DNA sequence: TAGATTGTTAATCGATTAACAATC
DNA sequence: TAGATTGTTAATCGATTAACAATC
């Protein structure tokens, strides 16, 4: 159970001294989304069984996930929607604006700047960079000017962002990451299909459309022309209506 | 080991009758990418140790992953780069063009149509749909016309795509998915932050930027505001696992 | 042959789920 | 109180990794 070979942060993930599994963190956003919806519908209290119904995530899983961070509910009653929402936001550090640098202002970069969910969750793209003269000076999203990538250091000295989104071509990704890291970036969301080599204190998450499509493609061929069903894709996609 | 409570496809994932883990499928694309690069460098043979170096994925993991699909290498020698590349492509059914419908022609949709990796891996977006009059008739990517979503059935009767990418707003996602499924779509890559309820024979994969950012945000706060790294300056990397 | 590297089994590690005592 | 639902422990399930006999 406790420490083994790995890096071991042991900064107390919150209450218990246990390391929080990544899948747990991923699910927290799902709970959050559900809670926001419930609040919008003026629902005040929610049980783990109701969370299961609305998110597809097992109720025991939900309770276990929360247990890494303390106690949140009242036995026999459930959870306060607003309180739980607040606490999860704090756990994920998205209760306050989180400044982010966007590097790469192509189609994908533009899509991200315009993505409505970001601001809603307090993720704030504070600057967009590109190194192409045809893009520098143009505006993407709702009026954000694309800056010369060469100015990243100068700009980040002011805004002090620790997160960056890399939406650059494969061959540029590593060198761009190096520069970003040199100027204080410590967490990278990488859209380029490359293994980024980074110092130990930097965290990288990769998003790969191709990977997702390939998994679908495989299952499509597996379940054959007939409908044998491929057991669970990702979530629990049972249920139908209509 | 063999059958238990789950759905159990038992259509032979390929050689062994075992169910292939999703993480294995995800890694196959990574291997593929690496192999393509090696072929470009005229490397003819590769060992699992070399795969580990280039992808960051454990050599035993690589061999185990392949074992679900048969035997690929020669003991003492390694794997033929081109042969392995071909076989993985076939496993993922991306050795031949895979037609895909794009639904939602906003920024994100446009980014996907323009994404160079797609065609490279034989994923072919054959039609793009939207229901907004301001988008219908316009062209995205390199000249693909945006069609009225109402025409999806008609169009898919011709192209017979089984995969769809959903890049629509949250509130439209479910109804759009229903329509797509009614017209033959059986695999969905969903970018909207919603739990899609679909019939059992349909597979969904979700891509959530927010989830990824949240995980980064959490870790950022965990590893502390100060620089934990007492050691070396900037570079000298460590590999980045998952 | 000697050295290298595979494919696979077994050991480990980690995550999910079921079960239940505690408690509102 | 009786019923509901939590938080947590224990059981299960699944995935990763190490180890090694087989073999080129």
């Amino acid at each position: 159970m406790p420490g083994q070979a790995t890096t071991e942060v042991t900064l107390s993930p919150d209450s218990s001294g246990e390391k929080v599994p990544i899948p747990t963190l991923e699910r927290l956003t799902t709970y959050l989304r559900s809670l926001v919806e419930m609040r919008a519908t003026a629902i005040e209290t929610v049980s783990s069984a109701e969370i299961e119904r609305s998110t597809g995530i097992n109720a025991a899983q939900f309770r276990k996930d929360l247990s890494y961070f303390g106690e949140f509910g009242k036995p026999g009653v459930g959870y306060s929607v607003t309180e739980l929402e607040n606490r999860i936001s704090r756990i994920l550090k998205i209760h306050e604006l989180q400044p982010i640098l966007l590097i790469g202002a192509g189609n994908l970069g533009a899509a991200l700047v315009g993505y409505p969910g970001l601001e809603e969750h307090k993720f704030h793209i504070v600057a967009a960079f590109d190194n192409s003269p045809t893009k520098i000076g143009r505006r993407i999203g709702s009026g954000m000017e694309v800056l010369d990538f060469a100015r990243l250091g100068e700009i980040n000295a002011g805004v002090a962002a620790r997160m960056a989104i890399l939406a650059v071509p494969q061959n540029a990704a590593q060198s761009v990451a190096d520069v970003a890291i040199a100027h204080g970036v410590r967490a990278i969301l990488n859209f380029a299909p490359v293994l980024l080599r980074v110092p130990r204190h930097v965290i990288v998450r990769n998003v790969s459309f191709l990977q997702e499509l390939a998994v679908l493609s495989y299952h499509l061929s597996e379940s054959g022309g007939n409908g044998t069903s491929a057991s669970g894709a990702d979530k629990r996609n049972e249920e139908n209506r209509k």
Side-chain angles (χ1 to χ4, degrees), chain A residues 60-82:
Chain A
Q61 180 77 268
F62 168 74
R63 298 199 302 276
K64 175 80 175 161
D65 284 343
L66 293 185
S67 76
Y68 291 102
F69 307 99
E71 308 200 347
F72 293 73
K74 268 213 253 304
V77 180
Y79 304 82
S80 151
V81 169
T82 55

Side-chain angles (χ1 to χ4, degrees), chain A residues 189-210:
Chain A
L189 183 58
N190 174 38
F191 283 87
V194 224
L195 173 73
L196 293 181
R197 319 249 174 193
V198 301
R200 206 149 48 293
H201 68 279
V202 176
I203 313 132
V204 177
R205 299 274 300 172
N206 297 293
V207 174
S208 170
F209 303 145
L210 293 170

Side-chain angles (χ1 to χ4, degrees), chain A residues 88-238:
Chain A
I88 293 179
S89 294
R90 280 168 186 281
I91 290 167
L92 296 175
K93 284 288 169 325
I94 53 180
H95 60 298
E96 50 188 19
L97 278 187
Q98 180 79 259
I100 302 180
L101 305 179
L102 172 69
I103 312 182
N107 279 322
L108 182 58
L112 289 164
V113 169
Y115 194 64
L118 288 192
E119 287 292 328
E120 245 171 55
H121 286 266
K122 303 280 182 67
F123 291 115
H124 186 49
I125 296 181
V126 291
F129 300 92
D130 207 295
N131 69 353
S132 153
T134 67
K135 297 212 186 91
I136 296 167
R138 292 186 59 182
R139 288 173 186 280
I140 58 177
S142 35
M144 166 160 288
E145 188 184 349
V146 177
L147 305 176
D148 188 339
F149 178 66
R151 295 181 58 201
L152 187 141
E154 166 204 334
I155 301 286
N156 208 34
V159 296
R162 294 291 164 257
M163 294 182 58
I165 298 176
L166 250 64
V168 301
Q170 192 181 140
N171 56 49
Q174 182 64 59
S175 66
V176 159
D178 292 342
V179 171
I181 292 165
H183 291 105
V185 165
R186 294 220 314 278
I188 294 175
L189 183 58
N190 174 38
F191 283 87
V194 224
L195 173 73
L196 293 181
R197 319 249 174 193
V198 301
R200 206 149 48 293
H201 68 279
V202 176
I203 313 132
V204 177
R205 299 274 300 172
N206 297 293
V207 174
S208 170
F209 303 145
L210 293 170
Q211 197 165 281
E212 302 297 332
L213 288 172
V215 172
L216 289 177
S217 175
Y218 173 81
H219 278 299
L220 212 43
S221 71
E222 267 313 285
S223 54
N226 55 54
T228 319
S229 131
S231 53
D234 201 22
K235 297 288 153 63
R236 266 285 67 91
N237 293 311
E238 232 74 333

